[in-house]
Amino acid sequence: MSASSPTLATAPPSPTTSSAPAPGRSTAAPAAAPSHDAASHDAASGGRRGRLLALDGLRLLAALMVCLYHYAGRGGTVSESWHQSPSRVFPTLSQAAAYGCLGVQFFFVISGFVICMSSWGRTLGDFFRSRVARLYPAYWVALVLITGAAIVLPAVVHPVRADEFLVNLTMLQQPMGVPRVLGVCWTLWVEVRFYALFALLVVLRGVTYRRVVLFCCVWTLAAVVCRTSGNALTDQLVMPDYAPFFIGGLALYLIHRFGSDLLLWGIVAASWLLGQSNATRGLWHAGAHGDLVRDPWIILLIVTLAFAAVAAVALGWTGRADWRWLATAGALTYPFYLVHEHLGWFVIRVLHRGAGLPAWPTLGLTVLGMLLLAWLMHRFVEKPIGPRLKRALKRSRTPGFST
């Protein structure tokens, strides 16, 4: 779990829709680009009130869904940390937490919305620098922290070799066939491919209504056709399992910027129909039984609610959500997402099996501990290093790359 998680980048300010051209026109990208992606992003659109703060809250909600899945809704390593299956530790919670993995698809819808918004008026160079500065500082720190935990307590996570760790620094370990340090980084690889597609096919020529609509339509068609090809390369490029979620988010941003339009709602509807099918096919199997089996109707409901929540933001129904803590929630989401899985399993093992703390206090303290660590990473890593990295990349830009 955009990806942009999403990534999951902090939402930049909302554009001023009252001055936006009509959807049918071929609009050029605005001359003024947002200056940065930080949670405190002020803008010509009215500072904090102009930001879509509800998106920050939705991002944290999606991250907490994934967190509960990793702590209480699945088996594997976390069962070893609890010393038994989470379904026995949390008989009721585990049934709901099993659906928390759908937080990843929720992230992808949000990521489509946010990436379209943040790329409007930006050059390809601007887009590249903003993504690198946003993704890598916290990611590198998370690699170091989790590798250190793996060395201290290898019963939770086995440390990788030095050469494998170095490949992980690139965020390209998955296509390289190298073991992952972060279990959740598979979603970052999905996000990176989305960024690459959107950058090369839309941002390169300038983001406009027509180009985004064409991109959505072509990508939807390619994702459907890809289902019949059986080609591993096209699967990697087109990402048929996840494309509908990004596409739905892109169309919802256009609705937010330009207003409701039958074509855009048609794209959203098609994305929802394909997305719920992909999610159900991936998470439900006829005849499956056990403690953590998912119901296809609940999968459909959660996917529907994910699309509906972002649609509510697009339509302006969340404008009253002008609470300062939402900006903080959005800032914590990405570092929290990176560290919560393996470090959480580490903390659970230490507190529950080592110190004998009961299950519910262990769960609560682990979540709070990961949120605190995320705040520290945001405060002392992302805020100081991200802008410096972006400035350094701009100073060393390749001639012509910023055009």
Side-chain angles (χ1 to χ4, degrees), residues 88-120:
R88 296 180 178 274
V89 181
F90 306 104
T92 302
L93 176 65
S94 64
Q95 301 306 308
Y99 297 93
C101 55
L102 287 164
V104 170
Q105 283 81 353
F106 196 178
F107 269 133
F108 291 160
V109 180
I110 297 170
S111 183
F113 190 108
V114 169
I115 292 304
C116 192
M117 177 164 54
S118 64
S119 62
W120 214 281

Side-chain angles (χ1 to χ4, degrees), residues 294-316:
R294 302 176 185 91
D295 186 318
W297 287 102
I298 298 180
I299 295 172
L300 169 61
L301 175 62
I302 294 174
V303 171
T304 302
L305 289 175
F307 275 86
V310 182
V313 175
L315 293 170

Side-chain angles (χ1 to χ4, degrees), residues 76-403:
T77 305
V78 71
S79 297
E80 299 173 9
S81 292
W82 289 118
H83 206 45
Q84 58 184 318
S85 171
S87 63
R88 296 180 178 274
V89 181
F90 306 104
T92 302
L93 176 65
S94 64
Q95 301 306 308
Y99 297 93
C101 55
L102 287 164
V104 170
Q105 283 81 353
F106 196 178
F107 269 133
F108 291 160
V109 180
I110 297 170
S111 183
F113 190 108
V114 169
I115 292 304
C116 192
M117 177 164 54
S118 64
S119 62
W120 214 281
R122 286 186 170 182
T123 65
L124 183 62
D126 291 334
F127 182 80
F128 169 78
R129 287 186 289 271
S130 70
R131 294 303 91 204
V132 170
R134 181 70 183 97
L135 292 180
Y136 278 95
Y139 172 75
W140 287 329
V141 171
L143 290 180
V144 172
L145 291 175
I146 292 170
T147 299
I151 293 172
V152 172
L153 192 58
V156 177
V157 183
H158 296 292
V160 300
R161 298 194 313 263
D163 63 301
E164 295 169 339
F165 176 84
L166 293 175
V167 173
N168 271 261
L169 293 173
T170 68
M171 212 178 283
L172 299 175
Q173 59 273 16
Q174 195 161 340
M176 289 289 291
V178 171
R180 294 171 285 162
V181 174
L182 308 182
V184 298
C185 73
W186 71 268
T187 64
L188 301 184
W189 174 232
V190 175
E191 289 271 356
V192 166
R193 285 178 284 167
F194 164 53
Y195 297 162
L197 286 174
F198 193 71
L200 295 176
L201 299 178
V202 180
V203 179
L204 180 62
R205 298 180 60 199
V207 184
T208 66
Y209 173 93
R210 290 183 177 180
R211 286 173 186 153
V212 176
V213 167
L214 181 61
F215 176 79
C216 290
C217 294
V218 172
W219 196 9
T220 299
L221 181 61
V224 172
V225 172
C226 186
R227 286 288 183 192
T228 64
S229 70
N231 185 287
L233 178 60
T234 56
D235 282 348
Q236 287 291 309
L237 293 175
V238 178
M239 300 182 292
D241 288 335
Y242 307 112
F245 300 100
F246 292 116
I247 293 167
L250 291 169
L252 286 168
Y253 175 69
L254 292 181
I255 290 170
H256 170 73
R257 187 179 183 100
F258 295 102
S260 290
D261 176 86
L262 184 59
L263 173 59
L264 295 178
W265 282 115
I267 294 172
V268 173
S271 299
W272 167 70
L273 291 168
L274 297 174
Q276 61 83 28
S277 175
N278 291 344
T280 302
R281 183 168 47 244
L283 297 175
W284 176 78
H285 305 281
H289 57 86
D291 294 330
L292 301 172
V293 174
R294 302 176 185 91
D295 186 318
W297 287 102
I298 298 180
I299 295 172
L300 169 61
L301 175 62
I302 294 174
V303 171
T304 302
L305 289 175
F307 275 86
V310 182
V313 175
L315 293 170
W317 295 352
T318 59
R320 293 182 179 273
D322 191 23
W323 309 306
R324 187 177 300 274
W325 65 267
L326 288 174
T328 303
L332 299 185
T333 299
Y334 180 55
F336 174 78
Y337 183 77
L338 292 176
V339 301
H340 81 271
E341 184 182 20
H342 293 320
L343 287 185
W345 294 344
F346 180 96
V347 173
I348 289 169
R349 190 180 184 99
V350 170
L351 293 180
H352 188 64
R353 293 185 60 177
L357 196 66
W360 279 102
T362 296
L363 179 64
L365 286 174
T366 301
V367 174
L368 290 175
M370 294 302 103
L371 286 170
L372 175 60
L373 178 59
W375 181 85
L376 292 172
M377 291 173 65
H378 173 67
R379 174 64 179 82
F380 296 105
V381 177
E382 291 187 305
K383 288 185 72 173
I385 297 178
R388 293 176 184 174
L389 178 58
K390 186 185 293 186
R391 288 194 296 268
L393 289 169
K394 192 168 186 176
R395 285 195 300 268
S396 62
R397 66 181 182 271
T398 302
F401 187 59
S402 62
T403 60

